[in-house]
Amino acid sequence: MHYQTLLQAIENRRSIYALNRDLPLPAGEIATIIKHALYHAPSPFNTQSTRLLVLFGCEHERLWDIVADVLRATVSADKFAPTAQKLAGFRAAAGTILFYEDSDIIAGLQQRFPTYADTFPGSADKADAMLQYALWTTFTAAGIGVNIQHYNPLIDAEVAKTWDIPAHWRLRTQMLFGGIAAPAGEKSHEPLDTRIRICGL
């Protein structure tokens, strides 16, 4: 692969909120992409503390029904309509990847390397972020739309109960994916000369 191919995928990567179930790849191939990214994504100290729950089809719908039920109990009835509309859009996607951190691994590292104990939770977040970006960019190259949501910790208990999630897995992010029903809008950029300094070139 020429590096410009990767640069183009990075440039094309956007948050796509209008998703549908018309995927350009079979679900099995998408699962293979997810496994490949999880296996090869870097993690600080090689912690490999990220855990995934991947939901397709009716299991994906079940998740967003749970989110709707939890929020319906939290958001006042007179303000729930916009929330319900937003959640219906998420439910219309093809699937969701839930990103977890294995807190047992982090605690073990904190005991083994007490000098760096305070850094390991942040390192785990960075590992999650690198995997998310790897998947997002790969999905973009494959013509799959993605957006990321954070309904944790509101949904944590019900999701854990529904899919028998271990108690030491901590939910961090929900990544939706699907066919692209409508492209992303325009994106603004801050000038590069205010964001980077290059020395010794």
Side-chain angles (χ1 to χ4, degrees):
M1 178 183 71
H2 197 279
Y3 77 90
Q4 289 179 335
T5 304
L6 181 57
L7 288 179
Q8 191 61 57
I10 292 170
E11 182 178 334
N12 292 343
R13 185 220 53 82
R14 297 290 307 281
S15 292
I16 306 292
Y17 295 103
L19 298 174
N20 59 34
R21 294 172 190 169
D22 186 16
L23 289 166
L25 298 175
E29 192 168 344
I30 291 171
T32 298
I33 289 171
I34 295 167
K35 290 176 184 177
H36 184 274
L38 178 62
Y39 191 81
H40 291 287
S43 58
F45 283 79
N46 197 28
T47 53
Q48 301 179 53
S49 59
T50 301
R51 302 289 181 263
L52 301 180
L53 172 64
V54 183
L55 305 175
F56 288 92
C58 61
E59 294 294 309
H60 156 81
E61 292 176 358
R62 192 176 182 189
L63 169 68
W64 293 100
D65 289 343
I66 288 170
V67 177
D69 289 343
V70 169
L71 291 182
R72 191 176 287 109
T74 306
V75 179
S76 61
D78 60 317
K79 295 180 180 177
F80 187 70
T83 298
Q85 184 177 5
K86 184 178 182 182
L87 296 178
F90 297 153
R91 193 179 189 275
T96 307
I97 307 167
L98 291 89
F99 289 75
Y100 288 85
E101 292 172 3
D102 188 330
S103 60
D104 281 358
I105 290 180
I106 297 167
L109 287 165
Q110 288 174 317
Q111 290 176 359
R112 285 172 54 204
F113 304 103
T115 302
Y116 305 103
D118 291 344
T119 69
F120 284 118
S123 295
D125 278 341
K126 292 170 188 173
D128 284 353
M130 286 189 282
L131 174 57
Q132 289 163 26
Y133 190 70
L135 274 172
W136 200 339
T137 306
T138 304
F139 280 164
T140 297
I144 298 168
V146 171
N147 69 73
I148 286 182
Q149 302 300 317
H150 300 90
Y151 285 98
N152 45 290
L154 288 172
I155 64 171
D156 292 18
E158 193 60 34
V159 169
K161 177 182 172 183
T162 302
W163 284 281
D164 194 25
I165 301 298
H168 54 92
W169 287 22
R170 188 168 65 109
L171 183 59
R172 305 299 293 146
T173 306
Q174 302 86 58
M175 175 184 279
L176 292 104
F177 62 89
I180 300 172
E186 291 297 319
K187 181 179 180 180
S188 62
H189 294 273
E190 291 294 319
L192 279 176
D193 58 5
T194 66
R195 301 167 62 193
I196 186 171
R197 295 177 65 191
I198 300 175
C199 303
L201 187 62

